[in-house]
Amino acid sequence: MGTTATGSRPGADPGLYGPSSVTWQCHGDPMMWIAGLRALYLQALHPRAVRGVMENSDFRRDAWGRLLRTADFVGTLTYGTTEAAERAGLRVRTIHRSLSATDPDTGERFPVDDPELLLWIHCAQIDSFLHVLRRSGVPLTPAQADRYVDENRVNARLVGLDPAGVPADTAGLAAYFDRIRPGLAAGPDALAVDDFLRGPPVPAPFVRGRNLLWPPVAGLAYGSLPGWAHRLYGRPAPAPRSVTRRLRLTGHVLRCIPAGLRWQLPPGHILKAMRRMGPGSRPSPYTLRTSAAILDRPGRA
């Protein structure tokens, strides 16, 4: 089968984003794992959102599984076929629809799929992905950053939100955080997440390796949070310049690992997408530099 001028196979299903999107080019970056940890730290600061997690999952026993399932979900939405992405969204909506939790302050029962909570989880995730990618050296222009936020309203739709009520650019995302910050707090649940992320349980043979390798990773994710989040958690973070230097160094080191090797890790969404779409679909931050005219145009939700 032949390929188009951009290297994609004609007639192949690009999924919900496709190689012309900023999201496709960004989500193959290895710093997404640190961004995911930052998102967990941030999401835990919403008392109802974190209570919903604590009551409906065994977080301490299955935190690794939860993180991997989230990565699988993001990978499916980004690189999977349209059918696979829609199916993943339906599965998440169905699960959330059946769950509820108790407000830690009022004792009121609330549904886990409350749009306010879904919007918080979405915005904390997208803010974390975008923040860590840019701060670690991914060359996004302001227009591309706005497009990234806009593109991911597709993600918001799949978890049950009306895209019209979801921030469509970085200014809207910042305004959302300004609006919601008074209701955020580091209660017992958030502190439990913080404690867990600083020393997650691992099998005995891996404890030494965890003690050596994990603290810098978790510390970098925590350090990349905004200052107001550090103040809520009540523990200091390195100076912002130091965090930025470490993010850039970590990004440089991880990006030196051949992408083909990194992408071999399960579930292999990117390699499957490249086989489906053709060699021109390979995600790369360099594409963001060379295709700015394409990627800077308005996105779609």
Side-chain angles (χ1 to χ4, degrees), residues 79-164:
Y79 299 110
T81 63
T82 302
E83 180 184 1
E86 294 286 353
R87 188 167 58 246
L90 176 60
R91 184 165 58 250
V92 166
R93 294 194 304 275
T94 301
I95 292 172
H96 286 173
R97 194 177 301 128
S98 67
L99 302 178
S100 63
T102 304
D103 186 293
D105 295 322
T106 67
E108 174 191 3
R109 294 295 293 181
F110 62 88
V112 167
D113 64 352
D114 181 338
E116 176 190 334
L117 304 185
L118 296 179
L119 183 59
W120 166 251
I121 295 297
H122 170 81
C123 290
Q125 184 180 74
I126 296 306
D127 179 77
S128 292
F129 290 172
L130 185 59
H131 180 88
V132 169
L133 289 169
R134 297 184 84 184
R135 200 169 172 186
S136 67
V138 172
L140 285 173
T141 67
Q144 289 168 347
D146 284 340
R147 184 175 175 182
Y148 177 82
V149 176
D150 181 42
E151 287 172 354
N152 278 280
R153 292 194 291 160
V154 172
N155 180 327
R157 173 182 67 78
L158 287 181
V159 299
L161 287 166
D162 178 358

Side-chain angles (χ1 to χ4, degrees), residues 34-287:
I34 289 177
L37 290 178
R38 181 190 191 268
L40 290 178
Y41 273 117
L42 199 54
Q43 290 164 349
L45 291 174
H46 192 299
R48 280 198 170 193
V50 70
R51 176 87 319 237
V53 172
M54 293 298 191
E55 283 194 22
N56 290 286
S57 65
D58 193 339
F59 180 80
R60 287 188 173 275
R61 287 182 177 271
D62 191 39
W64 294 114
R66 184 179 181 85
L67 185 61
L68 291 173
R69 287 192 295 273
T70 299
D72 182 40
F73 181 69
V74 172
T76 299
L77 266 55
T78 307
Y79 299 110
T81 63
T82 302
E83 180 184 1
E86 294 286 353
R87 188 167 58 246
L90 176 60
R91 184 165 58 250
V92 166
R93 294 194 304 275
T94 301
I95 292 172
H96 286 173
R97 194 177 301 128
S98 67
L99 302 178
S100 63
T102 304
D103 186 293
D105 295 322
T106 67
E108 174 191 3
R109 294 295 293 181
F110 62 88
V112 167
D113 64 352
D114 181 338
E116 176 190 334
L117 304 185
L118 296 179
L119 183 59
W120 166 251
I121 295 297
H122 170 81
C123 290
Q125 184 180 74
I126 296 306
D127 179 77
S128 292
F129 290 172
L130 185 59
H131 180 88
V132 169
L133 289 169
R134 297 184 84 184
R135 200 169 172 186
S136 67
V138 172
L140 285 173
T141 67
Q144 289 168 347
D146 284 340
R147 184 175 175 182
Y148 177 82
V149 176
D150 181 42
E151 287 172 354
N152 278 280
R153 292 194 291 160
V154 172
N155 180 327
R157 173 182 67 78
L158 287 181
V159 299
L161 287 166
D162 178 358
V166 177
D169 54 27
T170 53
L173 194 59
Y176 168 79
F177 280 104
D178 285 342
R179 186 168 65 253
I180 200 169
R181 273 178 56 186
L184 303 179
D189 290 336
L191 295 179
V193 171
D194 180 28
D195 180 65
F196 174 88
L197 290 176
R198 284 196 278 174
V202 295
F206 300 106
V207 169
R208 182 173 296 180
R210 179 204 64 186
N211 292 344
L212 177 65
L213 299 175
W214 184 256
V217 172
L220 193 53
Y222 178 82
S224 67
L225 289 168
W228 55 262
H230 298 147
R231 290 189 290 274
L232 286 177
Y233 273 114
R235 62 185 183 92
R241 284 188 179 182
S242 172
V243 174
T244 300
R245 284 195 300 268
R246 289 168 55 200
L247 283 168
R248 287 186 171 270
L249 176 61
T250 303
H252 174 75
V253 170
L254 292 179
R255 291 167 193 138
C256 286
I257 301 172
L261 180 61
R262 290 189 274 106
W263 296 339
Q264 292 286 347
L265 296 174
H269 292 297
I270 295 175
L271 294 180
K272 293 174 186 175
M274 289 173 60
R275 285 194 291 269
R276 184 176 80 247
M277 296 298 298
S281 64
R282 179 186 178 90
S284 169
Y286 295 104
T287 302

